[in-house]
Coordinates of all heavy atoms in Angstrom, one line a residue:
E295 N 108.6 72.8 112.7 CA 110.1 72.8 112.9 C 110.5 72.1 114.2 O 111.5 71.4 114.3 CB 110.6 74.3 113.0 CG 110.6 74.9 111.6 CD 111.1 76.4 111.7 OE1 111.5 76.8 112.8 OE2 111.2 77.1 110.7
L296 N 109.6 72.2 115.2 CA 109.9 71.5 116.5 C 109.2 70.2 116.7 O 109.3 69.6 117.8 CB 109.4 72.4 117.7 CG 110.1 73.8 117.7 CD1 109.5 74.7 118.9 CD2 111.6 73.7 117.9
A297 N 108.6 69.7 115.6 CA 108.0 68.4 115.6 C 106.9 68.3 116.7 O 106.7 67.3 117.3 CB 109.0 67.2 115.8
M298 N 106.2 69.4 116.8 CA 105.1 69.4 117.8 C 103.8 69.0 117.1 O 103.8 68.7 115.9 CB 104.9 70.9 118.3 CG 106.1 71.4 119.1 SD 106.1 73.2 119.4 CE 104.6 73.3 120.4
E299 N 102.7 69.0 117.8 CA 101.4 68.7 117.3 C 101.1 69.8 116.2 O 101.3 71.0 116.4 CB 100.3 68.8 118.4 CG 98.9 68.4 117.9 CD 97.9 68.5 119.0 OE1 98.3 68.6 120.2 OE2 96.7 68.6 118.7
P300 N 100.6 69.4 115.0 CA 100.4 70.3 114.0 C 99.4 71.4 114.3 O 98.6 71.3 115.2 CB 99.8 69.4 112.8 CG 100.2 68.1 113.1 CD 100.3 68.0 114.6
I301 N 99.5 72.5 113.6 CA 98.5 73.6 113.7 C 97.1 73.0 113.4 O 96.9 72.2 112.5 CB 98.8 74.7 112.7 CG1 100.1 75.4 113.1 CG2 97.6 75.7 112.7 CD1 100.5 76.4 112.0
K302 N 96.1 73.3 114.2 CA 94.7 72.9 113.9 C 94.1 73.8 112.9 O 94.1 75.0 113.0 CB 93.9 72.9 115.2 CG 94.2 71.8 116.2 CD 93.3 71.8 117.4 CE 93.6 70.7 118.3 NZ 92.7 70.7 119.5
E303 N 93.7 73.2 111.8 CA 93.2 73.9 110.6 C 91.7 73.8 110.5 O 91.1 72.7 110.6 CB 93.9 73.4 109.4 CG 95.4 73.6 109.4 CD 96.1 72.7 108.5 OE1 95.5 71.7 107.9 OE2 97.3 72.9 108.2
Y304 N 91.1 75.0 110.3 CA 89.6 75.1 110.1 C 89.3 75.8 108.8 O 90.0 76.7 108.4 CB 89.0 75.8 111.3 CG 89.3 75.2 112.6 CD1 90.3 75.7 113.4 CD2 88.4 74.2 113.2 CE1 90.6 75.1 114.7 CE2 88.7 73.7 114.5 CZ 89.7 74.2 115.2 OH 90.0 73.7 116.4
L305 N 88.2 75.4 108.2 CA 87.7 76.0 107.0 C 86.6 77.0 107.2 O 85.6 76.7 107.9 CB 87.3 75.0 106.0 CG 86.6 75.5 104.7 CD1 87.6 76.3 103.9 CD2 86.0 74.3 103.9
L306 N 86.8 78.3 106.7 CA 85.7 79.2 106.6 C 85.5 79.6 105.2 O 86.4 80.1 104.5 CB 86.1 80.5 107.4 CG 85.9 80.5 108.9 CD1 86.9 79.6 109.7 CD2 86.0 82.0 109.5
L307 N 84.3 79.3 104.7 CA 83.9 79.6 103.3 C 83.1 80.9 103.3 O 82.0 80.9 103.8 CB 83.1 78.4 102.8 CG 82.9 78.4 101.3 CD1 84.2 78.4 100.5 CD2 82.1 77.1 100.9
T308 N 83.7 81.9 102.6 CA 83.0 83.2 102.6 C 82.4 83.5 101.2 O 82.7 82.8 100.2 CB 84.0 84.3 102.9 OG1 85.1 84.2 102.0 CG2 84.6 84.1 104.3
R309 N 81.5 84.4 101.2 CA 80.8 84.9 100.0 C 80.1 83.8 99.3 O 80.1 83.7 98.1 CB 81.8 85.6 99.1 CG 82.5 86.8 99.8 CD 83.2 87.7 98.8 NE 82.3 88.4 97.9 CZ 82.7 89.2 96.9 NH1 83.9 89.5 96.7 NH2 81.8 89.8 96.2
Y310 N 79.4 82.9 100.1 CA 78.8 81.7 99.5 C 77.4 82.0 99.1 O 76.6 82.7 99.8 CB 78.8 80.6 100.5 CG 78.5 79.2 100.0 CD1 79.4 78.6 99.2 CD2 77.3 78.6 100.3 CE1 79.1 77.3 98.7 CE2 77.0 77.3 99.8 CZ 77.9 76.7 99.0 OH 77.7 75.4 98.5
D311 N 77.0 81.6 97.9 CA 75.7 81.9 97.3 C 75.1 80.6 96.8 O 75.5 80.2 95.7 CB 75.7 83.0 96.3 CG 74.3 83.4 95.7 OD1 73.4 82.6 95.9 OD2 74.2 84.5 95.1
P312 N 74.2 79.9 97.5 CA 73.7 78.6 97.0 C 73.0 78.7 95.7 O 73.1 77.7 94.9 CB 72.6 78.3 98.1 CG 73.1 79.0 99.3 CD 73.7 80.3 98.8
N313 N 72.4 79.8 95.3 CA 71.8 80.0 94.0 C 72.8 79.9 92.9 O 72.6 79.3 91.9 CB 71.0 81.3 93.9 CG 69.8 81.3 94.8 OD1 69.1 80.3 94.9 ND2 69.6 82.4 95.6
R314 N 74.0 80.6 93.1 CA 75.0 80.6 92.1 C 75.7 79.2 92.1 O 76.2 78.8 91.0 CB 76.0 81.6 92.4 CG 75.5 83.1 92.3 CD 76.5 84.1 92.5 NE 77.6 84.1 91.5 CZ 78.7 84.7 91.6 NH1 79.0 85.5 92.7 NH2 79.6 84.6 90.6
V315 N 75.7 78.5 93.2 CA 76.3 77.1 93.2 C 75.4 76.2 92.3 O 75.9 75.5 91.4 CB 76.3 76.5 94.6 CG1 76.6 75.0 94.6 CG2 77.4 77.3 95.4
E316 N 74.1 76.3 92.5 CA 73.1 75.5 91.7 C 73.2 75.8 90.2 O 73.1 74.9 89.4 CB 71.7 75.8 92.1 CG 71.3 75.1 93.4 CD 69.8 75.1 93.7 OE1 69.1 75.7 92.9 OE2 69.4 74.6 94.8
S317 N 73.5 77.1 89.8 CA 73.6 77.4 88.4 C 75.1 77.2 87.8 O 75.3 77.4 86.7 CB 73.3 78.9 88.2 OG 74.3 79.8 88.9
G318 N 75.9 76.6 88.7 CA 77.3 76.3 88.3 C 78.3 77.4 88.2 O 79.4 77.3 87.6
E319 N 77.9 78.6 88.8 CA 78.8 79.8 88.7 C 79.9 79.7 89.8 O 80.9 80.5 89.7 CB 78.0 81.0 88.9 CG 77.0 81.3 87.8 CD 76.2 82.5 88.0 OE1 76.7 83.5 88.5 OE2 74.9 82.5 87.8
M320 N 79.7 78.9 90.8 CA 80.8 78.8 91.8 C 80.8 77.4 92.4 O 79.9 76.6 92.2 CB 80.6 79.8 93.0 CG 79.3 79.7 93.7 SD 79.2 80.8 95.2 CE 79.5 82.4 94.6
L321 N 81.9 77.0 93.1 CA 82.1 75.7 93.6 C 81.1 75.5 94.7 O 80.7 76.4 95.5 CB 83.5 75.6 94.1 CG 84.7 75.7 93.1 CD1 86.0 75.6 93.8 CD2 84.6 74.6 92.1
S322 N 80.7 74.2 94.9 CA 79.9 73.9 96.0 C 80.7 73.7 97.3 O 81.9 73.5 97.2 CB 79.1 72.6 95.7 OG 79.9 71.5 95.7
L323 N 80.0 73.6 98.4 CA 80.8 73.3 99.7 C 81.4 72.0 99.6 O 82.6 71.8 100.0 CB 79.7 73.3 100.8 CG 80.2 72.9 102.2 CD1 81.4 73.8 102.7 CD2 79.1 72.9 103.2
D324 N 80.8 71.0 99.0 CA 81.4 69.6 98.9 C 82.6 69.7 98.0 O 83.6 69.0 98.3 CB 80.4 68.7 98.2 CG 79.3 68.3 99.2 OD1 79.4 68.5 100.4 OD2 78.2 67.8 98.8
D325 N 82.6 70.5 96.9 CA 83.8 70.6 96.0 C 84.9 71.2 96.8 O 86.1 70.7 96.7 CB 83.5 71.6 94.9 CG 82.4 71.1 93.9 OD1 82.3 69.8 93.8 OD2 81.7 71.9 93.3
V326 N 84.7 72.2 97.6 CA 85.8 72.9 98.4 C 86.4 71.9 99.4 O 87.6 71.8 99.6 CB 85.3 74.2 99.0 CG1 86.4 74.8 100.0 CG2 84.8 75.2 98.0
Q327 N 85.5 71.2 100.1 CA 85.9 70.3 101.1 C 86.7 69.1 100.6 O 87.6 68.6 101.2 CB 84.8 69.8 102.0 CG 84.2 70.9 102.9 CD 83.2 70.3 103.9 OE1 82.1 69.9 103.4 NE2 83.4 70.3 105.1
E328 N 86.3 68.7 99.4 CA 87.0 67.6 98.7 C 88.4 68.0 98.4 O 89.4 67.2 98.5 CB 86.3 67.2 97.4 CG 86.9 66.0 96.7 CD 86.1 65.6 95.5 OE1 85.0 66.0 95.3 OE2 86.7 64.8 94.7
I329 N 88.7 69.3 98.0 CA 90.0 69.7 97.6 C 90.8 70.0 98.9 O 92.0 69.6 98.9 CB 89.9 71.0 96.8 CG1 89.2 70.8 95.5 CG2 91.3 71.6 96.5 CD1 88.8 72.0 94.7
L330 N 90.3 70.6 99.9 CA 91.0 71.1 101.0 C 91.1 70.1 102.2 O 92.0 70.1 103.0 CB 90.5 72.4 101.5 CG 90.7 73.6 100.5 CD1 90.1 74.9 101.2 CD2 92.1 73.8 100.2
S331 N 90.0 69.3 102.3 CA 89.9 68.3 103.4 C 90.1 68.9 104.8 O 90.9 68.4 105.6 CB 90.9 67.2 103.2 OG 90.7 66.5 102.0
L332 N 89.4 70.0 105.0 CA 89.5 70.6 106.3 C 88.2 70.5 107.1 O 87.1 70.4 106.5 CB 89.8 72.1 106.1 CG 91.1 72.5 105.6 CD1 91.2 74.0 105.4 CD2 92.3 72.0 106.4

Side-chain angles (χ1 to χ4, degrees):
E295 290 180 0
L296 299 179
M298 298 168 63
E299 182 181 346
I301 295 172
K302 289 187 177 179
E303 299 161 344
Y304 302 93
L305 173 63
L306 274 72
L307 189 57
T308 56
R309 303 191 68 177
Y310 195 71
D311 185 341
N313 294 315
R314 294 183 65 192
V315 170
E316 284 192 3
S317 65
E319 295 177 42
M320 61 173 53
L321 298 177
S322 70
L323 174 58
D324 290 341
D325 292 334
V326 175
Q327 287 186 297
E328 184 177 346
I329 297 169
L330 297 179
S331 300
L332 293 179

